Every structure is written in structure tokens, then in C-alpha cells.
Amino acid sequence: MAEQPKKKKPRGAVRNVIHRVRRPDRVHMALLSERAPFWFVAAFLFAFSVFQIEMNPFGFSDLTQRYTQDIADLLITGPYFYGAEGRDNVSVVLIDESTLRETNQPWPWSFAQHAKVLDAIRAYKPKAVIVDFLFVDPRPDPTVPQMQDQIARYKKHNVPLYLMGATETPYGESPLRPDLASTGVPILDPTLPVYNGVARQYDVTGKCFNRKPRADGTCYTTALQVFADVYPQQKLEPLNGELELVWGTAPNPYNATWMGKDCGHQPTPLMRIYLAFFDTSSVLNPCPYNGVVPVKKLLGENDDPDVAALIKDHVVFYGGSLEGAQDKIYSPVNGLVAGVFVHAMAMDNLVTYHGDPEQNVMTVGGTVISTNPAQILAIVPVILVLAWLQRQRTRRKKRLEARQGSKEHSVTFEYFLDKTVETVWHYLAFGLALGVGFLLTKASGLSVANWVEVVFVSVELAAMLLVGAPGSLWGYLHHVAVGAPPTEEESSA
């Protein structure tokens, strides 16, 4: 008699799992991939989003945020959504190379020269004056009393005057010359944070120097302290983190009269978009945003009505733009500018946004949420919507397969509907994320630069859904863990 074939010895549970890991049943996996539950798809997308946002692979997040902030200033916020209220209330009195040449004065100037400029500014009745020079050098100067006298005159006329303090002094030197600090003039922290040489943010708190700290033990930096003093009726909103500077693109018309440049030229919207991406330098405006009064005009013999209009009831920053001073910072919309314009732009933002500027954090119910957690929270509704739409799309596919042979117009409709969804899938994700981001900006003041990654990650999520990545992973994991149903041969055996 022929020998009966030996029955295969059943594998253990662990060996079965190992076998399925090594040799998975692809047909069974394909069936399972179409049945991926909603919760698994949403969890998969959420895990990918957290990894992308938190881990910042290849520096993608930082590059995306800062590049988008520059583009937003050039294309959207600067030219179309940034008001002129700050520009009409903030000006800069500037010492430049032509000033030194015409006055025939060496640099650094004597205190007598600075006192002369401050006296001319005070005569026009400004709202406040901030001197953006560091008077730290203890060199002898017999004209110091003239500067002290000028500080006393500002006090007498109730015009706030501020001097800058040095934050990093060698050998323990005073942040301001003792003979000037003894006048009691407020000393401000002039720190300017830069990212690869570009001024995009502005610190909220800094050193106190001779000022009394606030209730929380901190002191504001230059622009915020001046705003708090000069605009007490416009209470500063709770500020944490840093201000995200918005740079205007339509400079004060007066600047063209003394700079001799076409400051008012504004390209058409389409041309602006093209230049911003392919020839950025040509779309940068050569003129500063805030009105600038050259010192040579301020000290001129003839009264200039434009000078009076730019100083009276204005917050005036008195600074310099000199080649040897090395106080230049790159602006996203103007190119290389003197540091004093960054302070002026920060003040401009505070005035324009009425004390509630854009920030790199958002505050919800008194809780401060930084950039990454804010973006993760922002992408959750996008994930839920995309996962739900993916489930509906899978169900339509199943209906399409089930109706094969039924009414042709119904099958055709389902087919074209599915193809339409595939075509607009990425645009849908883009639009969802963009809408969520604008809500964040409107509701909590979170800067565009700090939620824009949500848009890019959303498009990546849409691509993953389109190729079926979550379903494929579910099919594989479910198959490995549970296994395929037994075949007819295995059932009969």
C-alpha cells in the first residue's frame, strides 16, 4: 500500500508571525489595505506630522518659515495688508555720509553736535525721541555738559528722551557713560536678533539697566518700552516669545525727495510675484519704509515743511547709517539697512497693530503655546478632514466595483468623481491648511511664518493618502499580527 503523505506539523504562533513577516500574503494585504479604519489613518497622519514638525529634518522647518516670511512681506502682507498708521507716526532722523561731508565733522561726533541735533528735533515738538547711539566710550569730551543740558531741557518740556545702553561691555564698563547716566535719562536695551543676518524678529524683554522692572520682573526692549510709555491708552497685549516683524513695502513719499530714487515704484501684482521668486533684488525697495529726515536738512537754514510734518507728534529715532559703523542689517523688503530702521519698524508694527503685533507664539485661555505645538494643534483638523474624505473615497471605490454590470451612468459617474477627487486632492489639503493658518493669525496673532509649515505638511499628507500609504501599512501590520484566513485545503485538512 502506498504511504500516506505526512501532515505538516503546525507552526507555533511566534513562528507563524515570523513566517508572515518574511513571506507576507500580498493578496490578503491588498484586501486589508482597503479596510484601514479611520482611527488608524488619522493616527498615521498625525505621527508623520509630529515627526516632520518636531524633528525638523534637514532644517526644512526653519528654512520654510523664514523664506515664507520674506515672501509674505514682499507679496502679501507688505503691499496689501499692512496699514500706514505706524508709518504716519514713526520717523527717523539720520546721520549719513553726506551729513559728515557737508558738516565737515569727524566721526564720532562730539556731544555738542549731538546736543545741537537733539535741540533741533525738540523744537518740532516730537512725541518721543530715542537716541540710537551707544555712548559708552569714556574719552574726554569738554562738551558733555551741553548734552546734559539738552537732556534737562527734554525733561522740562515733557518730551520723553531715551538713550541706548550697551548690553555687552568689556572689563565691566558701564552701559552708558556715568556723566550721562547720572542725569537719570531712561536707558533702553537695543538688542536686535538676526537670523542669518536678516531682521525678521524683535525681542520682547531685555536688560533693565536703570529702569524699574515690571511686576513679572522683566523689562521691555526699546520699541516696546517706548510704546508702553507714549501710548498708554493702547494697552500692550500679553506678549511672549518674540515679535515677528512685518515690513511695509510702500515707503513714506518724502524719502524720494532727498534720496533721489524712485521710492514709489510698485510693480504690478503678477510682476511682483515673478520678481519675488526669480529676481528678488529687483523688487526690493531702495527707500526705507518710515519717513527719514537727514540731519543736514534738519540743521539747514531754511525751514522745511516736510521736516516739520515728519517730526511733530511723531516718535523719532535718531541714529546713523555710516559705512564704518558696521551697524547694518538685512531687511526682507529693503535689502541692507541701518539698525535704527529695525527699531523704527518694530515701533511701526506696534502702532499699526495697536499693541497686538504678530508673534512667534499664540496664547489660548492664558496658556502660551510655542510654534511647534501650535502647528501640531493646527494640523489636527486638517488630518481629521483628510482621513474622513479618504474613507469616503474608499467607500466610493467599493461601490464602483460592486456596481460593475449595473446601470452604466452610475458607474461612470462614480469613476469620474473619483478621478476628480484625485486631481483636486492636493489643492484641497492646501486650502484646508491655509484656512486654518489664517484663523490662527486672526484669532491669536500667530505669524504666518510660524504656521506655514502646516500647509506643506498637509500637502505631504494628501500625497500619502493618494498613494495609499496608511492603508498599506495597516494591511501589512494586520496581516502579520492576525494572519490570512485558512485556504480551502487547510480547512479540509
Side-chain angles (χ1 to χ4, degrees), residues 382 385-386 389 421 423-434 458 462:
V382 178
V385 172
L386 289 179
L389 290 175
V421 170
T423 303
V424 302
W425 197 248
H426 291 86
Y427 296 101
L428 177 65
F430 181 88
L432 283 171
L434 204 60
S458 297

Side-chain angles (χ1 to χ4, degrees), residues 326-345:
Q326 297 182 353
D327 183 26
K328 296 292 183 72
I329 296 177
Y330 195 85
S331 155
V333 302
N334 300 115
L336 207 59
V337 297
V340 65
F341 291 107
V342 182
H343 291 299
M345 201 69 239

